Amino acid sequence: MPTRIFDKRHAAPGTAPGTLRPSAQRVERVTIHVIRYSPEDFDEREVASLEECAALAPPAAGGVTWIDVVGLHDIELVARLGDTFGLHPLALEDVLNTGQRPKLDEYDDHLFCVLRDFHGGETLISEQIALFLKPGLVLTLQELPGDSFEPVRERLRRGRGRIRAAGADYLAYALIDALVDQFFPLLEQQGERIEALEEELIAAPTPETLERIYRLRRELLLLRRAAWPEREVIGALRREETALVGREVKLFLGDAYDHAVQVLDILETYRELAGSMLDVYLSSLSHRMNEVMKVLTVIATIFIPLTFVAGVYGMNFDRMPELHWRWGYPASLLLMTAIALGLIVFFRRRGWF
Amino acid sequence: MPTRIFDKRHAAPGTAPGTLRPSAQRVERVTIHVIRYSPEDFDEREVASLEECAALAPPAAGGVTWIDVVGLHDIELVARLGDTFGLHPLALEDVLNTGQRPKLDEYDDHLFCVLRDFHGGETLISEQIALFLKPGLVLTLQELPGDSFEPVRERLRRGRGRIRAAGADYLAYALIDALVDQFFPLLEQQGERIEALEEELIAAPTPETLERIYRLRRELLLLRRAAWPEREVIGALRREETALVGREVKLFLGDAYDHAVQVLDILETYRELAGSMLDVYLSSLSHRMNEVMKVLTVIATIFIPLTFVAGVYGMNFDRMPELHWRWGYPASLLLMTAIALGLIVFFRRRGWF
Amino acid sequence: MPTRIFDKRHAAPGTAPGTLRPSAQRVERVTIHVIRYSPEDFDEREVASLEECAALAPPAAGGVTWIDVVGLHDIELVARLGDTFGLHPLALEDVLNTGQRPKLDEYDDHLFCVLRDFHGGETLISEQIALFLKPGLVLTLQELPGDSFEPVRERLRRGRGRIRAAGADYLAYALIDALVDQFFPLLEQQGERIEALEEELIAAPTPETLERIYRLRRELLLLRRAAWPEREVIGALRREETALVGREVKLFLGDAYDHAVQVLDILETYRELAGSMLDVYLSSLSHRMNEVMKVLTVIATIFIPLTFVAGVYGMNFDRMPELHWRWGYPASLLLMTAIALGLIVFFRRRGWF
Amino acid sequence: MPTRIFDKRHAAPGTAPGTLRPSAQRVERVTIHVIRYSPEDFDEREVASLEECAALAPPAAGGVTWIDVVGLHDIELVARLGDTFGLHPLALEDVLNTGQRPKLDEYDDHLFCVLRDFHGGETLISEQIALFLKPGLVLTLQELPGDSFEPVRERLRRGRGRIRAAGADYLAYALIDALVDQFFPLLEQQGERIEALEEELIAAPTPETLERIYRLRRELLLLRRAAWPEREVIGALRREETALVGREVKLFLGDAYDHAVQVLDILETYRELAGSMLDVYLSSLSHRMNEVMKVLTVIATIFIPLTFVAGVYGMNFDRMPELHWRWGYPASLLLMTAIALGLIVFFRRRGWF
Amino acid sequence: MPTRIFDKRHAAPGTAPGTLRPSAQRVERVTIHVIRYSPEDFDEREVASLEECAALAPPAAGGVTWIDVVGLHDIELVARLGDTFGLHPLALEDVLNTGQRPKLDEYDDHLFCVLRDFHGGETLISEQIALFLKPGLVLTLQELPGDSFEPVRERLRRGRGRIRAAGADYLAYALIDALVDQFFPLLEQQGERIEALEEELIAAPTPETLERIYRLRRELLLLRRAAWPEREVIGALRREETALVGREVKLFLGDAYDHAVQVLDILETYRELAGSMLDVYLSSLSHRMNEVMKVLTVIATIFIPLTFVAGVYGMNFDRMPELHWRWGYPASLLLMTAIALGLIVFFRRRGWF
């Protein structure tokens, strides 16, 4: 089954804005993963409920809390999250409406991004990531278990580099950067498919080649639909005049922005190649048809006149003087050879074989 | 009958601006539906005439009146509406000229939007919605009964959420939002058509497939023609520096704007897919032709030389020594078998079967 | 003969700017039509010469004079017009150079627009309209008799509505608006052609269909070439900071601008459809070829082996034991039937008929 | 030989900027043509060397000198020109590097434009024109004799109109205008080619048609490559805040700008038509193939079964009762006629002939 | 093997920014080439280690040092370079990440550009060049030995022209200019390929032609992917308000910018031509198929009816009166000739041969 382009998970038209409806894929159990850290401390745990989460001691001054919720079908939980952390109802609606386009909304005391995470494999599966940034707090909500954030968690655990010393804005950057960088292996995969298709196209195109080209274009469209607005989100974050994102982090966002531009650049190149491939496929089909037709034409046009000659001397007229000639039979064979040779010369001259 | 792209309902060129001419589809009876509400009160009624409408007690302070007129062929009524509520003649002309592109005009004390409502089904029918916003008053004029506003009415009746407490600007937002959100089920429908077409294309394309692709492209064009300017209308409303639209409502308009962008984004993706499909269709036809030609060529080029050999030995020459050989007949059969095998080997090598 | 895209009526390269050369189509007689009006008065006459025109009593204070010259080959007349009304030489050159693109030039005390009028019919004929706007004076110069201005004249004659009370700027707007609105019936015509072509395409495409699609694209190109810069002209007039165009008239120009945008929008949609049609035509040809080939292939591949069998038993070898078998003939017929059935089953399985 | 797109006359990569290298086509003799004029005087002469040129008496106050150098392979001369008139080394490098794109550079006391002149004929030849504008001096450098400037010289000689009274900036404008206006006859020529191709396409497309369409697209590309940046050059000259170009001349440049826009507009239209033509060509080939195939199919499928029947009754079995029937032969002929009629009816119904 | 579009040399997603990882192609030995010069002095040497490099006497006041590192797999070295010269970690990461898009980053006291160098030959190889500009210092880092900088070194050695007298900014300009100018010979090469392909296309297109067109489009894509952002880099350098690039050098950068624009302009033209070529190829295949089919159709439809006639008179019915007619045989031959002539006339009229 090919990847779906349109998530059938929109609200019924006309419902009030901010109405929370479940639309995400159902996971077995909603999990809440909490990481709290400061340059010195690191604490990671899975909590059973929001209450437990709220009951955790706040991180040390300057520390950061990252709450990662996996599973979005528990509307109650999301609503209470909104209450607990003062999140805007419109943003909460977008969290649940999982077919969103990546975007950035700025609210009074928090930023809200919608981003997308991809799960590779045979079929590309795209999952919506909602990210809230408040002072000292990053809140991410995802549909499905498994994400691109594991390396960031690893960096936090090891505590090396800048990440434990920096604030929540740096963590948000690191998460966004991980989502952008995940495009590279996906692109590499698509690049390999392109190279395989190119060889297939030249060597022996089949209808499966056509289907594969179509699928490739479809997936490139899907990737571009995510990559394009994510670039805008990062660009907007860089320009945003907000105290939530520090000057230092904006420099790093510039780096992530360059990566997003590079992703789009490669995607465009791939799209152009995929477009050319379809032309090549069609041309190559036409060429093969030409070859087939040439063989048919050469054989048919050589033998059809010969068969006619044989037919003539197979007629049963009483008076056909040739039939009684001494050399009639060899002469007829000679005639046929001459006709055949004449046609062969004709085709040679046309360069048909 | 496919959906029409061009409503033949323009004014004769050269008529004075502001001249009111009927162009809308005729409905049996013009209906005027009035809803008046404030946080506490709610009154909904259908009135017989404009006079009756004007005679209604004004809503409580801070209340909102929504007058919804269905049926536009009664020019008199529209003209009197203009007089009663002080609407600009150019706007009234646009109300009646039902082939308008969505747009926003700002007049001294009222805003005027043209929007479009769709009626799904076999054929997409598009209807023009005119919306006036004045302080405490929303006036909508539509061509046909049945609209996308029913959920908004329902929210007003139930009185839950923000809607009864908010002003006329919020009601206008809610109506526009309902028009934008109606695209989602339409898109879902188109998405299903695309998936059906994709399967059909790969499995067994017929000329009906081609027609369906063409129709799909046509309807996507129609949807885009409405969605694109509606996005602009909402964008303009957000930026508009007018006292008619409050700061709070602009935030909600931002949400509607995001939805409109998402609609356009999906439409563009669909359009690209529909374009690719045509290429795939053509390629797939070419491939099938190739298959047909191969069968013809294989059969014809194998039997044509054999028939020739049979023809030769069917000739009636007096002296054909082979005919009198003891093993002449089996030898001729052997010869033919050899020719056939040779050609089969030749085609095998070319990978034709 | 199809519509020409390029009017061969440019000046020789290198001639001095402002040199007046005749390039317009020749009409039998140049006519000068003068309308003078004020809210109370209305006077319409055709004058024989420019002198007579200049000798007319000026209209009452606040009145407007509209001089409409039809026929541009009398260079003398145009030059004297320029002198009499103080028109800029570059503008006069553009008046005569009838292959101009619509544009707006602002001179010290007058505005100058180039616009285009269309004459429908079998072939679209496009005519250049030059319009000068001075305080109290509108001067139009056209190549050919017959124009889109008649409804405006009628409104002036009847004296209803705003037009007699308003100034020269309003008259200029009314004329421009008439030129924009004339696109609508032309678009309607093209829309009908498109619908006819769509039916033809699906039912029975012929080479004439192809020619018609090509002509359609050509005429849409022509219309767009006029509509696009006319939209710019109107947009520029609206923004122009000139005392020549009043604030009120700018509001009306906004309305004309919306119409021009709508025209372009429909043109773009038509262009996309015309593009799709060519693809559909090609696909439909391919499909028909497939059908033809299938019939040939089915008939040929069934009968060619049968004919071969008949040929074998038509050979004249002395010793062909089958010929003397009692059931030889029916057996041979059975063999042939079996072969035919086998092939029919084969084709059925492939879904060829 | 088709027109070249890329002049192989670039400098070796890495050479110092301002290095003078000959790259232009070699002409037999470099000529220096000097025209000096003021409203009252006019002096035109060809000088042998730069020294002679420098020795000429300066024109009267307010007079203008136009030095026109034809032939660019004499690097010495160009270098000395630079010294004599204080031209910037980067500009001199561009003068010699004749594959430049049209552009405008502003230096401290002079303006430098690169423009292109075309020599029509079978193959379009494009030549680089370098133009320097200093107070009272216009300096043009061209590769080849023969240019589009002759009408300007003629206007200078006759001394009519504005040209002798105006300054060097007006002369520069007149030269640029002549280069822009030369596009019109070229476009007219291309327009005629397009019309001829259109007729050819519909009537009887051959492979030469295809080649001609390709050449047409190529030349349109070439013309656009010159026209597009020339429009920018003129636009930049108009906006340039420099004392070198007077306010009056900017008005005339506005006129030249409009012409350049018109040129581009026609070029775009031509390009679209040329693109459509290729589609039409392909469709028309497909259609002809269909026709050919139909004839083959009709003839072959009618006669192949008949031949089979004849083959059956040509078999030599001992016992074929039909052969001895009294009406066997006429019955067989009837059978064959019936088969033929049946097939003809079948093809008629399919609308094949 | 065709050129790769995507360098598989990205970092694992989620790694910390500024992490140095080797990704470049491995060269045998990292070389450090140091050139120090001032107007009077010139010193060029290859150093073994960074320490040796640091130990070199600084150039005279106003002198410039150019350190050129070839080989990027020694991460240690790059890290120490960063420490020694105070380069930003994000820039160092980009140096090692050799699949970067050309870009310009401004840091506090240094500018950092990523550019690309091409190695021609059968397959286009693209190499990343990192360039740092600090006051008095230019630092370049490349993956592979062999570059486009040799002419610049030569100009430094000879000490002619401006280069020795100018500062580090001029050296940086000269290097960038060399990278831009190297496109010209590459474009010339592509231009020759295009011309060869054009001739091949018209004369005798083969499937190799198709492959070559596809490869051409691919390489043009690759070149454009480098040229487009390099133009942006140069444009940004010109506008950059930094003390690192002097006003004089910005003038030269303007010249390099013009070259980059010209490169892009030629690339676009080539791309359009390559696109047209594919259409021409497809059309030309179709045309050839038409020719083949015509020959088959003419021969087959002439002989098939004749063979049928011969078949009829080869039947063995007892009573076939024609067989016993005196002139039966010649009459049958006449009949066949008449049929053949009729068909020939038919085909002539259709213009088939």
Side-chain angles (χ1 to χ4, degrees), chain C residues 36 43 89 105 149 203 206 258:
Chain C
R36 290 174 307 159
D43 174 48
D105 285 340
F149 296 154
T206 63
D258 284 348

Side-chain angles (χ1 to χ4, degrees), chain D residues 194-223:
Chain D
I194 285 175
E195 281 173 19
L197 273 169
E198 279 173 348
E199 276 179 31
E200 205 176 313
L201 258 183
I202 301 295
T206 63
E208 283 77 41
T209 316
L210 180 61
E211 209 183 320
R212 270 197 279 273
I213 296 173
Y214 182 78
R215 290 248 166 104
L216 173 70
R217 289 178 88 170
R218 218 179 189 287
E219 298 210 347
L220 292 174
L221 268 177
L222 266 181
L223 288 172

Side-chain angles (χ1 to χ4, degrees), chain A residues 50-311:
Chain A
L50 201 57
E51 284 68 36
E52 193 182 335
C53 172
L56 291 174
V64 176
T65 306
W66 171 21
I67 303 175
D68 180 35
V69 180
V70 176
L72 296 179
H73 59 268
D74 185 349
I75 303 179
E76 273 303 292
L77 180 77
V78 174
R80 269 181 298 132
L81 260 177
D83 287 347
T84 313
F85 297 108
L87 308 175
H88 198 279
L90 281 173
L92 287 181
E93 190 195 353
D94 289 338
V95 165
L96 290 172
N97 216 335
T98 55
Q100 296 287 315
R101 199 170 175 260
K103 65 170 184 169
L104 172 70
D105 285 339
E106 193 186 359
Y107 294 104
D108 282 344
D109 66 339
H110 58 286
L111 287 173
F112 169 60
C113 304
V114 173
L115 298 156
R116 297 206 80 83
D117 194 7
F118 288 93
H119 298 255
E122 183 81 353
T123 314
L124 208 59
I125 292 171
S126 146
E127 169 194 10
Q128 174 169 316
I129 305 284
L131 187 152
F132 290 90
L133 172 61
K134 296 190 68 162
L137 174 74
V138 169
L139 180 60
T140 51
L141 297 109
Q142 8 179 346
E143 274 178 85
L144 299 173
D147 59 24
S148 305
F149 297 153
E150 204 48 40
V152 178
R153 283 188 200 100
E154 206 51 45
R155 274 155 60 199
L156 282 172
R157 282 173 202 135
R158 295 218 192 107
R160 280 211 295 251
R162 197 183 322 248
I163 195 162
R164 283 259 284 276
D169 52 352
Y170 188 87
L171 176 59
Y173 149 72
L175 296 173
I176 291 170
D177 192 49
L179 289 177
V180 170
D181 282 354
Q182 67 156 332
F183 276 103
F184 289 107
L186 290 172
L187 287 175
E188 185 179 324
Q189 215 174 298
Q190 303 287 357
E192 274 161 15
R193 279 170 73 185
I194 285 174
E195 280 172 20
L197 273 169
E198 279 172 349
E199 274 179 32
E200 204 175 313
L201 258 183
I202 301 296
T206 63
E208 283 76 41
T209 317
L210 181 62
E211 209 181 319
R212 270 198 278 274
I213 297 173
Y214 182 80
R215 290 246 166 106
L216 173 70
R217 290 177 86 170
R218 217 180 190 289
E219 298 211 347
L220 293 174
L221 267 177
L222 267 180
L223 289 172
R224 195 179 56 150
R225 271 187 67 205
W228 197 267
E230 284 191 1
R231 193 199 56 145
E232 284 171 29
V233 166
I234 301 171
L237 267 175
R238 270 171 88 187
R239 283 187 311 271
E240 201 69 61
E241 280 171 25
T242 169
L244 286 163
V245 182
R247 197 186 147 283
E248 171 83 340
V249 168
K250 280 183 183 169
L251 202 68
F252 286 103
L253 282 168
D255 194 60
Y257 186 81
D258 284 348
H259 290 186
V261 168
Q262 200 181 339
V263 165
L264 280 170
D265 186 46
I266 296 169
L267 275 172
E268 281 312 310
T269 309
Y270 282 1
R271 265 162 52 82
E272 292 225 21
L273 282 180
S276 295
M277 271 183 209
L278 214 71
D279 294 342
V280 170
Y281 177 76
L282 201 52
S283 298
S284 133
L285 275 188
S286 270
H287 180 76
R288 298 182 131 228
M289 175 101 82
N290 261 7
E291 289 308 297
V292 171
M293 292 310 301
K294 269 189 207 163
V295 169
L296 174 60
T297 302
V298 165
I299 299 280
T301 53
I302 286 176
F303 282 99
I304 282 175
L306 303 189
T307 304
F308 165 67
V309 171

Side-chain angles (χ1 to χ4, degrees), chain E residues 49-222:
Chain E
S49 68
L50 202 58
E51 285 68 36
E52 191 181 335
C53 172
L56 291 174
V64 176
T65 306
W66 171 20
I67 303 175
D68 181 36
V69 179
V70 176
L72 296 180
H73 60 268
D74 185 349
I75 303 180
E76 272 303 293
L77 180 77
V78 173
R80 268 182 298 134
L81 260 177
D83 287 347
T84 314
F85 297 107
L87 308 176
H88 197 280
L90 281 173
L92 287 180
E93 190 194 355
D94 288 338
V95 165
L96 291 172
N97 215 335
T98 55
Q100 295 288 314
R101 197 169 176 262
K103 64 170 184 171
L104 171 71
D105 284 339
E106 193 185 359
Y107 294 104
D108 282 343
D109 66 340
H110 58 287
L111 287 173
F112 169 60
C113 305
V114 174
L115 298 156
R116 298 206 79 84
D117 195 7
F118 288 93
H119 297 255
E122 184 81 354
T123 314
L124 209 58
I125 292 171
S126 146
E127 170 194 10
Q128 174 169 315
I129 304 284
L131 186 151
F132 290 90
L133 171 62
K134 296 190 68 162
L137 174 73
V138 169
L139 179 61
T140 52
L141 297 109
Q142 11 179 342
E143 274 177 85
L144 300 173
D147 59 25
S148 305
F149 297 154
E150 205 49 40
V152 178
R153 284 188 200 99
E154 205 51 45
R155 272 154 62 197
L156 282 171
R157 281 172 203 136
R158 294 216 193 111
R160 280 212 294 252
R162 197 183 322 248
I163 195 161
R164 283 260 285 274
D169 52 352
Y170 188 88
L171 176 60
Y173 149 72
L175 296 173
I176 292 171
D177 192 48
L179 289 177
V180 170
D181 283 353
Q182 67 157 332
F183 276 103
F184 289 106
L186 289 172
L187 287 175
E188 186 179 324
Q189 216 174 296
Q190 303 287 357
E192 274 161 14
R193 280 170 73 185
I194 285 175
E195 279 172 20
L197 273 169
E198 279 173 350
E199 274 180 32
E200 204 176 313
L201 258 183
I202 301 296
T206 64
E208 283 76 43
T209 316
L210 180 61
E211 209 182 318
R212 270 198 278 274
I213 296 173
Y214 182 79
R215 291 248 166 104
L216 173 70
R217 290 177 86 171
R218 219 180 188 289
E219 299 210 347
L220 292 174
L221 267 177
L222 267 180

Side-chain angles (χ1 to χ4, degrees), chain C residues 27 84 89 97 121 177 189 205 247 263 303:
Chain C
V27 294
T84 312
N97 217 336
D177 191 49
Q189 216 174 297
R247 196 187 149 283
V263 165
F303 282 98

